[in-house]
Amino acid sequence: MGSLAAEKTVTGWAARDASGHLTPYNYTLRKTGPEDVVVKVLYCGICHTDIHQAKNHLGASKYPMVPGHEVVGEVVEVGPEVTKYSAGDVVGVGVIVGCCRECHPCKANVEQYCNKRIWSYNDVYTDGRPTQGGFASAMIVDQKFVVKIPAGLAPEQAAPLLCAGVTVYSPLKHFGLMSPGLRGGILGLGGVGHMGVKVAKSMGHHVTVISSSAKKRGEAMDDLGADAYLVSSDEAAMVAAADSLDYIINTVPVHHPLEPYLALLKLDGKLILMGVINQPLSFISPMVMLGRKSITGSFIGSMAETEEVLKFCVDKGLTSQIEVVKMDYVNQAIERLERNDVRYRFVVDVAGSNIDDAPPV
Ligand SMILES: NC(=O)C1=CN([C@@H]2O[C@H](COP(=O)(O)OP(=O)(O)OC[C@H]3O[C@@H](n4cnc5c(N)ncnc54)[C@H](OP(=O)(O)O)[C@@H]3O)[C@@H](O)[C@H]2O)C=CC1
Ligand SMILES: O=C/C=C/c1ccc(O)c(O)c1
Ligand SMILES: [Zn+2]
Ligand SMILES: [Zn+2]
């Protein structure tokens, strides 16, 4: 991997424009700083956010962009002040790779809410270089934003926990929704949603999947262990389920009406928005007033919660349900994810794809 003093040239797969099509791209990483960990990427999950970013759904994308923020890798080098990791450790990196360390969220250890957060890609690091994500042979990351993957978790299984897993765990913990017996809804059974079913079931909740079609009913009930399944267009079933849920984790990634789901909540129920939707959502006020309901949101989880969810999954024997693909399949995987054709997360076998050998385009 080279010496601490040298910049490292790596190959990633980058989007060049809002088509979001990824092709090989060579770039240099910063010299390893005192608190930096050099990570050889083994696996990286494909999150729907990678599509939002690569295709400029939020209007702030910069190219070339190497996406990927569910990264599991092996430590190959550490800076002289790194205390937490050493070469050979299997580690994870998620959505955030920097924060100010001084603001209220940083001091409260919820650094994901720091207004000076640095995203793992499509951002600029403190040295002025663009950040680039995990669809690459290596990343250099400050040790604060690295977690150890515990023994007992396969690295490819662990990858989706670094975004999808912690994204459902964090709000359940924060909003006091970890008690057994709660009735939860998971709206949208994709990468985040399937981890929602697994985590909520492991907390002892009664879990209802609310889906746009009946296609996933059998898998949701038989494989993931959901207790009930609602098709959102089935008006009679939606009416029958009114006032029944303590919370809904809403993972739908496109504009949609909120009122059908607010109606499913009990008194004091919470609709927790997860989907990245760049258009106003709407509802009439009595839908929340007459039931003291809340509409809230949540953004990934802290580094501490990321460590917690990894341990939670080991303790409960939870894994993600994944389809492992090679890097040269990444564009097809993205297309399939967009048309809702994956059960439930693609994970790219980056190290097994020999991406350093591909000629850059
Ligand atoms: N807040 C946060 O911290 C995070 C936010 N996100 C965001 O959450 C959203 C979901 O992410 P992820 O789970 O990876 O996405 P997936 O594409 O894996 O899952 C989304 C699910 O939503 C449902 N859906 C309904 N309408 C559509 C549609 N038109 N197109 C696609 N899916 C649809 C589908 O479930 P069904 O078939 O059951 O209807 C689908 O499986 C994204 O917007 C992502 O950016 C992701 C991670 C963290
Ligand atoms: O997948 C993780 C990132 C989620 C995310 C949430 C909100 C937002 O504005 C983003 O750009 C990304
Ligand atoms: Zn994500
Ligand atoms: Zn801060």
Side-chain angles (χ1 to χ4, degrees):
M1 186 50 64
S3 75
L4 292 173
E7 292 181 346
K8 297 157 182 52
T9 299
V10 296
T11 307
W13 277 53
R16 316 300 176 126
D17 55 40
S19 71
H21 187 80
L22 306 188
T23 50
Y25 169 58
N26 286 343
Y27 51 101
T28 55
L29 301 178
R30 65 177 179 268
K31 291 176 191 169
T32 309
E35 297 221 40
D36 280 342
V37 177
V38 184
V39 178
K40 176 191 172 193
V41 178
L42 300 175
Y43 293 96
C44 185
I46 310 180
C47 175
H48 207 110
T49 303
D50 296 322
I51 299 180
H52 294 313
Q53 297 287 20
K55 298 202 167 183
N56 198 20
H57 291 171
L58 295 169
S61 296
K62 300 203 175 49
Y63 303 98
M65 175 202 297
V66 177
H69 60 256
E70 291 183 338
V71 187
V72 173
E74 183 188 335
V75 175
V76 291
E77 183 180 292
V78 294
E81 286 166 34
V82 170
T83 50
K84 289 168 70 182
Y85 305 103
S86 50
D89 287 348
V90 178
V91 296
V93 179
V95 175
I96 299 299
V97 294
C99 66
C100 82
R101 300 169 196 238
E102 286 167 3
C103 68
H104 168 63
C106 283
K107 291 219 154 95
N109 289 324
V110 283
E111 63 288 331
Q112 73 273 31
Y113 295 110
C114 173
N115 284 331
K116 294 184 179 160
R117 72 182 75 83
I118 302 176
W119 302 79
S120 49
Y121 65 89
N122 198 41
D123 206 345
V124 177
Y125 202 64
T126 49
D127 62 354
R129 284 174 200 252
T131 56
Q132 301 291 7
F135 299 134
S137 47
M139 290 176 82
I140 295 187
V141 184
D142 185 301
Q143 65 172 338
K144 179 177 170 63
F145 298 93
V146 175
V147 289
K148 204 167 260 180
I149 303 298
L153 269 183
E156 65 275 27
Q157 297 286 346
L161 306 180
L162 298 163
C163 177
V166 73
T167 292
V168 294
Y169 181 85
S170 176
L172 293 176
K173 181 174 180 192
H174 175 75
F175 292 116
L177 297 169
M178 288 175 84
S179 317
L182 290 174
R183 297 180 74 91
I186 303 294
L187 173 53
L189 191 58
V192 176
H194 96 288
M195 285 313 306
V197 176
K198 286 177 172 241
V199 168
K201 280 302 297 175
S202 290
M203 290 176 180
H205 298 178
H206 179 283
V207 177
T208 299
V209 168
I210 311 150
S211 184
S212 58
S213 79
K215 282 186 230 161
K216 301 176 185 169
R217 185 189 298 272
E219 304 152 28
M221 310 281 292
D222 301 341
D223 303 341
L224 300 176
D227 301 286
Y229 190 97
L230 278 173
V231 178
S232 52
S233 56
D234 181 342
E235 283 177 28
M238 292 288 280
V239 168
D243 284 323
S244 68
L245 300 178
D246 293 295
Y247 67 85
I248 296 174
I249 292 181
N250 178 351
T251 77
V252 174
V254 293
H255 189 269
H256 59 284
L258 295 186
E259 290 175 1
Y261 310 108
L262 288 168
L264 297 177
L265 293 172
K266 288 181 192 172
L267 173 66
D268 289 327
K270 291 182 171 51
L271 179 61
I272 306 169
L273 300 178
M274 298 295 185
V276 177
I277 300 166
N278 198 13
Q279 271 176 285
L281 298 167
S282 66
F283 56 91
I284 60 164
S285 62
M287 289 299 301
V288 292
M289 288 157 48
L290 304 178
R292 205 165 54 192
K293 299 174 186 180
S294 309
I295 300 175
T296 184
S298 184
F299 173 55
I300 50 169
S302 63
M303 296 313 296
E305 286 168 332
T306 307
E307 285 173 350
E308 261 176 65
V309 77
L310 291 167
K311 181 172 185 313
F312 179 88
C313 289
V314 173
D315 292 348
K316 303 283 184 183
L318 288 190
T319 56
S320 55
Q321 190 171 322
I322 58 173
E323 180 175 339
V324 178
V325 297
K326 299 289 189 204
M327 190 60 105
D328 61 7
Y329 189 78
V330 71
N331 292 302
Q332 282 149 281
I334 286 171
E335 274 171 38
R336 282 182 51 198
L337 174 58
E338 255 189 316
R339 58 183 146 83
N340 199 357
D341 176 23
V342 54
R343 304 293 190 274
Y344 287 92
R345 202 48 135 198
F346 284 111
V347 174
V348 179
D349 174 8
V350 178
S353 299
N354 301 316
I355 62 174
D356 281 324
D357 300 341
V361 178

